[in-house]
Amino acid sequence: MTVAAKDGGGRRSGGRPLIIPAVGTLLALFVLVVLGPAMTNGGPPTGNVVRQAIFTALLLGAVWAAGAFKQPLKLLKLPVLFLATIAWCWISVSWSIVPMISLRRILLTTIVIWTVFLVVEDCGYDRTVKVVMAALFGLLLINYAAVVVSPETAIHHLVPGEDKGLVGDWRGVLPQKNFAGAFCAFTILFFAFSPSRSWRYSLADLKKKIPRELIISLAIRAVTIAAAAFFLFKTESKTSMGMAAMGLLAGAIFIFLPQRARMIAVPFVALSSLAAMLFWAESWRESVGPFSKPTDFTGRVQIWPHLVSYIQDHPLTGTGYGAFWNIGDESPIFEYSKTWVATLASGHNGYLDLAAQVGLPGLLLAVMAAFVVPFYKLLTSSTVSPWRGALLVGMLVFCAGHNMTESGLFERDVIVWVFLLITVALAEIATRPPSAAARTGSRSRSRRKRALPSFD
């Protein structure tokens, strides 16, 4: 089984088989992201050595598959702002209060970033999306199987020390409901905005007869989206619920509105999602019920003031990368809080957590690299198709809003961060100027009979 000569704007494939080494690396990365929370739960601040070794092996495999051993300059093909942000994080190790922990954490983050960009570039757009969709579909099936076969582990039960409000929430094979909720949201977005090639029929053809393969494709996608939505509902992960809806709205806007209109509408939706998540965390009792009592697990609205105070005292440098939470007695949180907040492992806000670690300059670089520049490229591109743009914009909106109540920005192998990296890498491919051959093919296709909106 082979793919087209040029798979979605990545490297030329020339009839390369669908399964290539980079696909194996991408699948292995997906498995590690799923298992990551369980592998690190309760572990030492220095991290899990086995996990770090596996990630190193994945990076070496990605470098080999991309041919970067022979052409090292390929390693510098990351977006410039990503390189600048990585450099700033590495520099911050020099002033870190726990330099060895910072070093290991930024090393893992760097490995993950390079692995994702190399693998996505080597796979190309179409192949990457297919692999991600297959992995998400497989995980969804496994999660449902876990709920049926082992509900005592796949559904939150009352555990001493945990929030009673979690009881009954589905989590599948994931350690907690929020992780399962994020994966369900990604499944919905990918299956909603990644049309199959079987959809490519002209309007004239569809008026005569709707092909069976198109009906089957639509049915599979509808069932998958419905199943993911139901599982998401059962997780009661409200951040993922809300941001999935905002992501779908942003994607629909990208498809149906002209470029000038969506240049206004999409940023409005993105900013609205950030405001909505902030309002949600502060105002909705159902969302912050477990956070309103100091005796319970965590509390977003009670955590954030301590982070803000630290950032105000250290606006330029922060603690050094990865040196605020979960580092032992040296953590600054013990100076700013004497309550249960000091026992937490994150601040439940990706932006505040990163600013506390690398200062406001580091946060600015990260936000520009991960959100502002990709958004700008997608909204101003004349080459990205409506469907590709819809998926990528929807994912960016989801990840931007999700980081308002969870920490997943430049954060090692955290689920949302890895998918944000995949999104940015795909956006680099989707907005790349077409080659002369592609432009010729485009002119040739334009002379054919009128067809459905382009899926390329």
Side-chain angles (χ1 to χ4, degrees):
M1 186 176 185
T2 60
V3 294
K6 191 173 183 184
D7 183 10
R11 88 188 226 186
R12 290 184 180 276
S13 56
R16 299 167 75 202
L18 178 61
I19 304 301
I20 61 174
V23 169
T25 304
L26 184 57
L27 288 173
L29 177 64
F30 184 89
V31 172
L32 277 178
V33 170
V34 173
L35 298 178
M39 295 176 70
T40 57
N41 187 30
T46 52
N48 185 299
V49 176
V50 174
R51 170 169 153 266
Q52 293 167 347
I54 295 174
F55 270 111
T56 301
L58 285 182
L59 175 60
L60 293 175
V63 172
W64 169 77
F69 282 123
K70 296 181 179 179
Q71 296 177 299
L73 289 179
K74 285 188 175 182
L75 295 175
L76 299 180
K77 285 189 176 181
L78 269 70
V80 174
L81 280 174
F82 260 90
L83 293 172
T85 308
I86 293 171
W88 179 264
C89 291
W90 274 92
I91 293 171
S92 75
V93 175
S94 64
W95 62 72
S96 171
I97 58 179
V98 282
M100 290 308 297
I101 292 178
S102 292
L103 182 62
R104 294 182 72 159
R105 291 180 175 178
I106 185 55
L107 178 60
L108 180 56
T109 298
T110 304
I111 287 173
V112 172
I113 292 173
W114 248 286
T115 301
V116 170
F117 274 92
L118 285 172
V119 166
V120 171
E121 175 67 24
D122 194 46
C123 286
Y125 187 97
D126 289 341
R127 187 186 281 109
T128 298
V129 170
K130 288 176 182 177
V131 172
V132 170
M133 290 174 67
L136 289 171
F137 182 78
L139 180 61
L140 182 63
L141 291 180
I142 293 173
N143 280 335
Y144 267 107
V147 170
V148 173
V149 175
S150 183
E152 64 275 6
T153 57
I155 300 176
H156 280 286
H157 289 77
L158 184 59
V159 177
E162 287 193 4
D163 172 34
K164 296 179 181 179
L166 295 176
V167 176
D169 295 346
W170 290 14
R171 63 183 179 187
V173 295
L174 282 304
Q176 59 143 296
K177 67 168 190 175
N178 288 331
F179 300 148
F183 275 118
C184 288
F186 295 144
T187 304
I188 292 170
L189 290 171
F190 268 85
F191 276 80
F193 295 130
S194 299
S196 168
R197 289 183 180 273
S198 64
W199 294 29
R200 300 183 178 190
Y201 291 94
S202 68
L203 295 176
D205 290 337
L206 294 178
K207 288 179 180 178
K208 297 176 183 177
K209 181 181 179 181
I210 300 179
R212 177 181 297 180
E213 61 176 339
L214 179 58
I215 296 175
I216 294 175
S217 175
L218 289 171
I220 292 175
R221 288 168 183 271
V223 170
T224 302
I225 292 171
F230 181 74
F231 202 102
L232 175 58
F233 171 75
K234 295 299 290 183
T235 67
E236 294 196 25
S237 178
K238 293 179 175 58
T239 297
S240 292
M241 289 184 196
M243 292 317 305
M246 298 299 280
L248 289 171
L249 175 59
I253 288 173
F254 198 96
I255 290 174
F256 295 108
L257 291 187
Q259 186 176 29
R260 286 190 178 182
R262 66 193 186 207
M263 287 179 66
I264 299 174
V266 170
F268 176 79
V269 171
L271 294 175
S272 297
S273 69
L274 299 180
M277 287 299 100
L278 183 61
F279 174 80
W280 202 333
E282 291 183 342
S283 306
W284 283 36
R285 180 175 180 80
E286 187 177 13
S287 176
V288 300
F291 314 133
S292 61
K293 302 186 290 294
T295 56
D296 285 320
F297 220 155
T298 181
R300 291 170 176 84
V301 294
Q302 297 183 37
I303 303 169
W304 295 344
H306 302 296
L307 285 167
V308 172
S309 295
Y310 184 83
I311 294 168
Q312 289 174 337
D313 293 340
H314 307 82
L316 297 179
T317 59
T319 61
Y321 182 85
F324 192 94
W325 299 103
N326 194 30
I327 62 170
D329 296 337
E330 296 90 346
S331 175
I333 191 61
F334 293 108
E335 299 179 14
Y336 287 80
S337 174
K338 305 299 181 182
T339 68
W340 53 274
V341 172
T343 66
L344 301 177
S346 75
H348 287 272
N349 185 297
Y351 307 104
L352 293 179
D353 268 352
L354 192 61
Q357 297 173 44
V358 295
L360 295 178
L363 174 63
L364 178 62
L365 285 171
V367 171
M368 291 290 292
F371 296 114
V372 176
V373 172
F375 265 126
Y376 177 80
K377 286 185 176 181
L378 289 167
L379 293 176
T380 59
S381 173
S382 59
T383 60
V384 66
S385 76
W387 288 94
R388 286 187 176 183
L391 170 62
L392 300 175
V393 162
M395 287 291 295
L396 287 173
V397 167
F398 177 91
C399 295
H402 197 276
N403 269 286
M404 288 298 296
T405 58
E406 301 292 344
S407 296
L409 184 61
F410 271 82
E411 184 64 23
R412 290 170 283 175
D413 61 336
V414 169
I415 295 167
V416 172
W417 169 237
V418 173
F419 272 82
L420 177 56
L421 283 174
I422 293 173
T423 301
V424 175
L426 288 173
E428 285 292 306
I429 295 174
T431 58
R432 193 169 293 161
S435 64
R439 287 194 296 269
T440 302
S442 177
R443 287 194 296 268
S444 176
R445 287 192 298 269
S446 68
R447 290 192 289 267
R448 299 174 187 170
K449 55 186 175 181
R450 182 170 174 257
L452 291 174
S454 172
F455 301 143
D456 290 328

